[in-house]
Amino acid sequence: MKTVKLLLSFTLMATLLSSCYTEVIVDDFNPEPTISIHQLLDSHELWYVDINATKGYGETPFLQKAFTISFINGVVYANNNIVGLGDNGNGYGIDVGTYDAYNMILDVIHDIDGFETFDVYQIDNNTIELYNPNNDTSYFLNGYQRSNFDYDFVFYDNIHYFLQEYEAWEKVYTSNFGAINEFDNENYLQFLAGGNDATFRSSQDAFGMDSQNLFWDYTGVYGVGEVTNNFYLKTLTLDYDFFNNEYFELSVINDSTIELYHPVSETVYEFKGRGYIQYLKQSTIKGASTTTESGKMRKFKNNRVDNPRENKRL
């Protein structure tokens, strides 16, 4: 009987001890970034603004206008123009403002657009998210060094904007070959930024006119298209209501000269840009124009989407 009682006592004690046992798990996960915000911003020379990855329905103008952004010793640099891409500012672009960075917060004072603040998130080794709590919109930036950034790809992928960066394009060459056609009479073209982002004007004024003094005879809609298996060749369609559309193959000769091949007549034209428009900066370039128009914004190629990012500053 004593033996049975003793066994029962050991069993009871073991049960009580096991029921009082609590498993302690030490969570050593640290959500804090492993590098500082300054190290993160300095990790890449160029940050390409992936405009189509944007989440949210707001707009941060200086990011909407820029192809690349750089953060160097408190100064913000941007490539806002396609003309001169890769050459302006040794590839960084132009000085557009200043910044301060602390505790994964980035404050920017833009020369034109003023103050903007962002929460900065590191997505991966070469991608950061700039979340603007004031408009609940996130922009995603992909990091590159100047040595491995494909300036040519950005240039040809954005020919639409390249055409808009001159006040006018003057016809400087017409081939001796090719059939006579209505477009022979058009001496100037202009591609307008803003609005529907697809408006062109043409003029039959005499050669050598100042772009500011041109009389625009016609206003219509234009479109730039891709050519299969040739990334460097584009198509340009000008919608002339009174003699239908004019279709061209568009080639870029240099930063200020384009070639238009007219397949219907087999005529080749060359147009030279007049009145370079340098966006968002008072220009010191002789013959250049300055604009601060808000209409020059990069357009989204797909529909906007909701931003799941929570505004933690509320």
Side-chain angles (χ1 to χ4, degrees), residues 237-257:
T237 304
L238 305 179
D239 184 0
Y240 282 97
D241 288 339
F242 55 87
F243 55 85
N244 298 319
N245 292 350
E246 293 286 12
Y247 174 84
F248 305 90
E249 292 180 356
L250 166 65
S251 303
V252 176
I253 297 176
N254 55 45
D255 268 6
S256 63
T257 311

Side-chain angles (χ1 to χ4, degrees), residues 1-267:
M1 185 69 177
K2 288 182 180 180
T3 303
V4 173
K5 286 184 178 181
L6 186 60
L7 288 173
L8 287 174
S9 297
F10 279 123
T11 302
L12 180 61
M13 287 180 65
T15 303
L16 289 173
L17 287 173
S18 62
S19 65
C20 294
Y21 170 76
T22 302
E23 184 177 7
V24 178
I25 300 176
V26 178
D27 183 5
D28 60 355
F29 172 71
N30 182 9
E32 294 298 318
T34 57
I35 62 174
S36 72
I37 185 171
H38 287 285
Q39 291 172 320
L40 181 58
L41 296 177
D42 291 344
S43 63
H44 295 85
E45 293 180 314
L46 297 173
W47 293 98
Y48 177 73
V49 183
D50 185 359
I51 200 70
N52 293 305
T54 304
K55 294 181 180 178
Y57 301 98
E59 189 174 86
T60 303
F62 83 90
L63 288 176
Q64 196 76 29
K65 298 167 186 175
F67 294 97
T68 71
I69 294 287
S70 298
F71 305 95
I72 306 173
N73 299 325
V75 178
V76 182
Y77 294 86
N79 277 299
N80 297 316
N81 283 80
I82 291 297
V83 174
L85 186 70
D87 295 325
N88 290 334
N90 293 320
Y92 291 113
I94 60 175
D95 169 0
V96 297
T98 60
Y99 72 93
D100 188 20
Y102 53 95
N103 299 328
M104 300 310 286
I105 292 175
L106 172 67
D107 291 338
V108 174
I109 301 178
H110 191 266
D111 291 346
I112 302 298
D113 300 322
F115 177 81
E116 296 284 1
T117 186
F118 305 91
D119 295 331
V120 182
Y121 298 91
Q122 182 178 10
I123 304 302
D124 55 39
N125 288 335
N126 67 336
T127 306
I128 60 174
E129 175 186 352
L130 300 186
Y131 172 72
N132 189 332
N134 295 320
N135 58 27
D136 193 30
T137 299
S138 291
Y139 287 82
F140 293 84
L141 280 57
N142 300 322
Y144 296 88
Q145 307 305 334
R146 286 175 297 167
S147 60
N148 66 6
F149 185 69
D150 194 341
Y151 290 99
D152 283 346
F153 176 84
V154 176
F155 184 98
Y156 282 95
D157 195 43
N158 293 279
I159 292 295
H160 190 85
Y161 299 108
F162 170 62
L163 296 176
Q164 298 173 358
E165 293 182 2
Y166 288 96
E167 293 176 352
W169 291 87
E170 180 181 6
K171 186 189 292 179
V172 294
Y173 170 79
T174 302
S175 63
N176 294 325
F177 53 86
I180 295 174
N181 66 91
E182 293 286 348
F183 190 76
D184 287 341
N185 300 317
E186 306 300 317
N187 294 330
Y188 295 90
L189 295 172
Q190 182 185 60
F191 303 91
L192 301 177
N196 64 2
D197 208 38
T199 300
F200 85 96
R201 300 197 291 190
S202 63
S203 172
Q204 298 182 2
D205 280 350
F207 296 116
M209 293 279 290
D210 188 302
S211 58
Q212 298 289 335
N213 298 325
L214 291 170
F215 174 77
W216 298 105
D217 304 286
Y218 182 79
T219 300
V221 176
Y222 77 99
V224 176
E226 304 292 331
V227 174
T228 303
N229 298 325
N230 191 340
F231 181 70
Y232 301 101
L233 182 66
K234 305 296 179 181
T235 65
L236 174 65
T237 304
L238 305 179
D239 184 0
Y240 282 97
D241 288 339
F242 55 87
F243 55 85
N244 298 319
N245 292 350
E246 293 286 12
Y247 174 84
F248 305 90
E249 292 180 356
L250 166 65
S251 303
V252 176
I253 297 176
N254 55 45
D255 268 6
S256 63
T257 311
I258 58 174
E259 177 184 287
L260 299 181
Y261 170 66
H262 191 243
V264 173
S265 68
E266 298 185 335
T267 305

